[in-house]
């Protein structure tokens, strides 16, 4: 990396991409249950479906730092575990296994066969495996195919052979599948086109006559080479192959799916062909042919079926009837192919059928769905069509068949998995006046599109919320004996008394528990085997199992101000500053330690740790005093209450908690001291278990109120509940074991405690005002909560109201009937009964129609109503393209909503009959829009922005300034500043930054006195800009459609010249350079994050955090770029990144540096996602890197976690 860059950014992913490009099914853990492995961009994720609850949970997600192009699962004969083959852009074939014991992927083989990158003739695009796991074929889009033989050696380890070539030049591959041939020689079926003749024929005649063939390649295991065994022409539109079971289960062969037909083919059988049924309905075009986009084959005992999905989302069940012999057994000869409508689900990139009776749909857009099969569609009255009715020859005519789509009968949706793909625009804003801003984004396509609100927090499951007679101060839960599984009492402390509730079928008050009810309580604990303890201001009450009560009274004129307990020890602090310590004797009574320890100030809080397994006491007592210190006192019999260590704090401590938690540094568990301060700051310090020293302090600001801490348990692991102005949970991340501190999406609580009963085994109880609340936390995996509001069509852009918490979206859908046309068709008198039924579009999609547009404008309220408030539909085949809120000086600074639309738009090649700019006035605080007027433009406006009390619009390649007139907009000024098409505008002062669709950005200055727009600086690289934002007056950050992020800066001198007073004549007459502006932008930073950036914004994400650049990607990614402050940090992270590139090499064999420099060498950027893999390394590797960096492992982990927690989540 060129260290000469004067600017460095740290790139982090907040939410990984959610689009699934491929999903495979297998028993990857080596147990009976199946897992799903999905690929999303560069991420490999393994999910565990839970058939009992109908849920899917993520076990492990890993970035492979390379593009995953294809995945396949295979199993060696006789083994019970599936391996995963990855075809990526590394020019290597990778075989990995999932190791459940360590919860990680382990690479077994990495075989290089070609150059890296995604190229036409380098294999990796197609991958197929022999069903018996003996070989795999990896192919490129053209020419090259390689076969690897898979086997095992004497140690039962997986081996892979050298590649066997099956190349054929000038051949394009469309699909590839392994044939089920039992234990015969493995055969792979390929759809190919030989274009040799097309290449040499300039007339185009050969192209018209070119044939697509189905070719069988056989791997001869005896001779160890591959032969082309059989080839036969198929329908030219064929695009997909599905394997048909062979051996004893079926006839073997393949299903070839093409436009409007599905054909069964095999080398020794006749062809059988069925048409794909078309939808019947008044809004459907009866001539429109469907093709199959996804399919899956499922075997059951002695039977099998296919589910094929058309591009409307309709599932068809395809079965094969075989000829039977005299005894009624199938002979393997095919009699006919049958097809019938099954159900409709969202359009999938992959379908997976689980043995447990579930269907996983990895949706192309929107949420992924997990369905349960109710039945297999055998006994319904859907019409079934078979191959007897259709000719096998694709050129012969036939009568199309139709079906009526209906609501799902065979599958039932059990879980919807959040996915923000495609994400089209995003804004970060704090509309709810919370500590941290929220992320608002528009995503999805068609009727499944949505407006999403993302908040940082954990999802809380509310169980009980009941009102109490008055406001309690604190709450505890306790068991009665040590071996009880569940809690027996809830103890509530009020200012003047204590209330005890028993936990059973219901929660009710009890009075005979031995607790003192006339005083408030400071602590409650189950002590020893079967005793209880209650600490109150005037003493300690020890309640024995036989209800005998021993009372320890406080010395005269003093009271207890703080107390802490565990199952064998009690420590209390008196108002005089003395600490009294008790330990349980062998007979179960409490023995007071002879000496009291006097502290220098008033004690504000105390904490004893839990008694470690196999010990009789906790070693340390933590004491917090109002002189802003925390002291660690020893409880060892030889040195009781002696000072071990002390830590000075920035304000007085309000809460302490000593607890052991899992730790990524040591790999085991570590003792921590958690400290809460009156200033609302939370600190976590490592407490040395032998010396009592405090080290490695990490801080976090929770909120303006004093912090209180409570020990709780979540998912069987210890966690800390921290309460300030909002409630937080500190826990170990299930995957990385890193410590996470995440707010709860819940009401702010004043006090909390663990809660366990038969109905809720692992919950928490808390106080909020006068209410008692019981709740549990189910998911620790994702710390971003989503709320979704459905939209009508694919959203294109959105804008926020300048004052009120409202958003305005523009949505448009291509090749879709508009509402007016649809109603016209439905009200047609000739409609046949049953055809006029309108199905819900979110499940069945909108009726398609070539060249039609459906478009609308929505007013969205994501805060109070959480719904759309108004929908304005556009007519006359117009499509909304862009939107802005503009305040016009000429209208005394009133803000109007400006919407740009295009009429009869063709996307490619780009054309339209006209463009319009609509003006709307805000009514009722922006909840309603009133149409004022519209202005015709030659082309649809592609960018709009408020500028100095006027509107600037990018129309084609012209930049125009408009003012608002009574009847229409008035053009004030225009200039042609970019070569192709303006796609984005940003402004500060009189400077406008204009982005071009394929020529990067141009800085333009507006000269008021001459009313001129003058471009003064542009770029040297042709970047296909998708989004931009201004970082400061000179610098712009942006993304392009190849998935790059970059920062460009204007030279200081050019910037100052442009802002000189006067007419700007010196800029106009300055010598142009290479047909462009006189000056050039300098590249500051460049990075390849592997997702197409769709929006970018400079903002804060956490309370009191620094400004960062937040960017969103098309596949649902949320990422940030954090600027480095000191050169020292840059050097540290650069060295760390260098070591990690060597020690933690990417899983799929891609070189990390080359991957991040896909188009342009990476510059001024450090990959935080790679740095964060440090905590997952083996301990010896961590120590080695730490030695090289001359730091301790804890220090490195702390630096890495600080980079994230200070600015984001």
């Amino acid at each position: 990396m060129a260290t000469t860059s004067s600017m460095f950014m740290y790139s982090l992913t907040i939410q990984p991409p959610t689009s699934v490009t491929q999903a495979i099914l297998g028993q990857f853990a080596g147990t009976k249950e199946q897992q799903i492995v999905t690929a999303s961009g560069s991420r490999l994720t393994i999910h565990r479906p839970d058939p009992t609850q109908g849920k899917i949970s993520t076990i492990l997600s890993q970035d492979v730092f390379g593009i995953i192009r294809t995945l396949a699962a295979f199993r060696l004969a006789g083994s019970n575990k599936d391996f995963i083959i990855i075809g990526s852009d590394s020019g290597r074939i990778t075989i990995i296994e999932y190791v459940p014991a360590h919860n990680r992927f382990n690479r077994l083989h990495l075989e290089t066969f070609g150059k890296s990158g995604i190229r036409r003739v380098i294999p990796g695009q197609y991958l197929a495996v022999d069903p018996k796991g003996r070989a795999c074929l990896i192919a490129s889009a053209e020419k090259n195919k390689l076969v690897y033989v898979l086997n095992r050696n004497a140690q039962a380890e997986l081996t892979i052979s050298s590649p066997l070539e099956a190349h054929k030049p000038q051949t394009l591959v469309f699909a590839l599948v392994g044939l089920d041939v039992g234990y015969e020689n493995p055969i792979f079926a390929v759809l190919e086109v030989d274009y040799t003749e097309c290449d040499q024929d300039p007339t185009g005649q050969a192209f018209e006559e070119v044939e697509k063939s189905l070719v069988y390649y056989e791997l001869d295991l005896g001779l160890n080479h591959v032969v082309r065994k059989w080839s036969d022409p198929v329908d030219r539109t064929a695009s997909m192959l599905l394997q048909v079971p062979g051996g004893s289960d079926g006839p073997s062969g393949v299903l070839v799916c093409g436009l409007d037909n599905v054909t069964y083919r095999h080398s020794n059988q006749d062809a059988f062909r069925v048409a794909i049924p078309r939808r019947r309905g008044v809004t459907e075009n009866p001539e429109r042919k469907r093709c199959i986009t996804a399919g899956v084959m499922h075997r059951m005992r002695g039977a099998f079926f296919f589910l094929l999905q058309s591009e409307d989302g309709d599932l068809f069940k395809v079965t094969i009837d075989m000829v039977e012999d005299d005894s009624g057994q199938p002979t393997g000869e095919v009699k006919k192919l049958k097809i019938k409508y099954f159900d409709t689900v969202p359009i999938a990139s992959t379908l997976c059928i689980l043995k447990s009776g579930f269907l996983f749909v990895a949706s192309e857009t929107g949420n992924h769905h997990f369905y349960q099969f109710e039945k297999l569609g055998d006994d319904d009255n859907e019409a079934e069509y078979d191959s007897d009715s259709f000719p096998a020859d694709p050129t012969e005519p036939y009568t199309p068949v139709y079906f009526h789509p209906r609501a799902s009968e065979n599958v039932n949706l059990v879980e919807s998995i959040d996915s923000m793909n495609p994400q089209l625009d995003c804004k970060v804003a704090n509309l709810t006046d919370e500590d941290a801003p929220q992320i608002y984004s528009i995503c999805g396509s068609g009727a499944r599109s949505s407006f999403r609100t993302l908040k940082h927090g954990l999802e809380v499951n509310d169980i009980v919320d009941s009102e109490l007679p008055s406001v309690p101060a604190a709450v505890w839960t306790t068991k009665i004996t040590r071996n009880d599984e569940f809690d027996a009492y809830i103890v509530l402390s009020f200012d003047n008394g204590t209330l005890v509730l028993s936990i059973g079928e219901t929660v009710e008050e009890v009075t005979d528990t031995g607790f003192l009810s006339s005083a408030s309580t400071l602590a409650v604990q189950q002590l020893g085997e079967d005793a209880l303890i209650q600490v109150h201001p005037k003493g300690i009450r020890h309640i024995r199992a036989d209800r005998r009560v021993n009372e320890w009274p406080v010395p005269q004129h003093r009271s207890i101000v703080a107390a802490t307990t565990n199952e064998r020890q009690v420590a209390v602090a008196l108002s005089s500053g003395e600490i009294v310590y008790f330990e349980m004797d062998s007979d179960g009574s409490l023995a007071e330690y002879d000496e009291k320890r006097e502290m220098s100030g008033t004690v504000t809080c105390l904490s004893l740790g839990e008694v470690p397994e196999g010990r009789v006491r906790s070693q340390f007592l933590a004491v917090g005093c109002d002189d802003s210190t925390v002291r660690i006192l020893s409880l060892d019999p030889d040195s009781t209450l002696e000072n071990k260590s002390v830590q000075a704090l920035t304000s007085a401590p309000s809460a302490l908690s000593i607890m052991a938690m899992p730790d990524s540094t040591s790999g085991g568990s570590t003792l921590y001291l958690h400290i809460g301060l009156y200033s609302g700051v939370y600190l976590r310090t490592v407490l040395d278990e032998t010396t009592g020293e405090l080290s490695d302090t990490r801080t976090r600001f929770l909120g303006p109120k004093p912090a209180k801490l409570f020990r709780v348990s979540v998912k069987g692991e210890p966690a800390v509940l921290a309460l300030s102005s909002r409630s937080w949970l500190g826990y170990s991340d299930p995957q990385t074991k890193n410590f996470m501190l995440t707010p709860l999406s819940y009401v702010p609580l004043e006090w909390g405690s663990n809660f366990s009963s038969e109905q809720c085994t692992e919950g928490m109880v808390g106080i909020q005002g006068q209410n008692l609340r019981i709740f549990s936390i189910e998911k620790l995996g994702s710390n971003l909560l989503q709320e979704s509001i459905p939209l009508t069509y694919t959203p294109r852009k959105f804008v926020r109201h300048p004052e009120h918490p409202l958003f305005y979206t523009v949505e448009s859908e291509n090749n879709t009937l508009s509402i007016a046309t649809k109603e016209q068709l439905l009200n047609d008198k000739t409609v046949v009964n049953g055809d006029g039924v309108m199905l819900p579009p979110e499940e069945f999609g909108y009726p398609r129609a070539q060249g039609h547009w459906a478009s609308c404008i929505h007013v969205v309220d994501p805060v109070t109503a959480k719904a759309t408030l108004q929908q304005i539909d556009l007519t006359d085949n117009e499509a909304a393209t862009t939107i802005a809120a503009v305040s016009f000086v000429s209208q005394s600074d009133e803000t109007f909503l400006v919407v740009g639309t295009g009429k009869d738009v063709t996307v490619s090649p780009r054309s339209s009959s006209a463009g319009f700019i609509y003006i709307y006035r805000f009514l009722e605080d922006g909840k309603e829009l009133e149409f004022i007027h519209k202005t015709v433009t030659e082309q649809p406006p592609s960018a709009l922005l408020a500028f100095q009390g006027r509107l600037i619009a990018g129309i084609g390649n012209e930049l125009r300034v408009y003012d608002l007139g009574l009847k229409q907009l008035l053009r004030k000024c225009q200039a042609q500043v970019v070569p192709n098409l303006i796609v984005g505008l940003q402004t500060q002062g009189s400077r406008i930054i204009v982005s071009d669709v394929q020529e990067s950005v141009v800085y333009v200055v507006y000269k008021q006195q001459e009313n001129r727009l003058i471009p003064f600086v542009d770029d040297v690289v042709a970047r296909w800009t998708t989004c931009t934002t201004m970082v400061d007056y000179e610098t712009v950050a942006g993304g392009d459609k190849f998935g790059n992020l970059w920062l460009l800066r204007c030279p200081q001198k050019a910037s100052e010249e442009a802002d000189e007073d006067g007419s700007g004549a010196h800029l106009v007459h300055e010598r142009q350079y290479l047909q462009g502006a006189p000056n050039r932008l300098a590249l500051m930073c460049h990075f390849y994050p592997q997702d197409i950036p769709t929006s970018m914004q400079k903002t804060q994400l956490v309370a009191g955090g620094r400004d960062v650049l937040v960017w969103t990607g098309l596949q649902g990614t949320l990422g940030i770029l954090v600027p480095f402050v000191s050169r020292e940090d840059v050097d540290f992270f650069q060295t760390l990144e260098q070591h990690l590139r060597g020690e933690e090499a990417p899983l799929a064999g891609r070189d990390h540096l080359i991957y991040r420099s896909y188009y342009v060498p990476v510059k001024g950027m450090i990959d935080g996602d790679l740095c964060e893999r440090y905590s997952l390394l083996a301990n010896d590797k961590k120590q080695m890197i730490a030695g090289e960096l001359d730091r301790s492992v804890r220090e490195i982990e702390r630096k890495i976690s600080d980079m994230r927690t200070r600015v984001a989540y």
Side-chain angles (χ1 to χ4, degrees), residues 12-24:
L12 270 179
T13 306
I14 292 178
Q15 175 175 288
T18 50
S19 76
V20 172
T21 47
Q22 197 185 347
I24 55 170

Side-chain angles (χ1 to χ4, degrees), residues 69-123:
R69 299 164 72 185
T70 173
L71 291 175
F74 80 95
R75 174 189 304 207
L76 290 172
S79 115
N80 62 348
K81 180 171 185 171
D82 287 331
F83 297 103
I84 304 164
I85 307 183
I86 305 175
S88 68
D89 62 344
S90 61
R92 298 163 159 186
I93 186 167
T94 317
I95 300 183
I96 62 167
E97 65 171 335
Y98 170 63
V99 186
H102 303 133
N103 190 26
R104 64 188 187 90
F105 291 119
N106 181 20
R107 190 165 70 203
L108 301 173
H109 286 288
L110 187 63
E111 297 291 320
T112 308
F113 53 67
K115 292 179 178 169
S116 63
I118 293 180
R119 301 164 192 259
R120 204 167 58 160
V121 293
I122 302 293

Side-chain angles (χ1 to χ4, degrees), residues 116-149:
S116 63
I118 293 180
R119 301 164 192 259
R120 204 167 58 160
V121 293
I122 302 293
Q125 188 62 35
Y126 299 103
L127 179 63
V129 175
D130 169 60
K132 293 283 184 264
R134 297 167 300 167
C136 74
L137 173 63
I138 188 163
S140 57
E142 185 181 328
K143 184 182 171 187
N144 294 336
K145 298 182 194 68
L146 297 172
V147 175
Y148 286 92
V149 180

Side-chain angles (χ1 to χ4, degrees), residues 25 93 112 166 230-231 250 499 509 533 637 776 880 896 966 1061 1095 1175:
L25 200 56
I93 186 167
T112 308
W230 175 76
S231 167
L499 180 69
E509 187 181 342
I533 247 183
S776 67
F896 292 87
L966 286 174
D1061 289 345
S1095 81
S1175 62

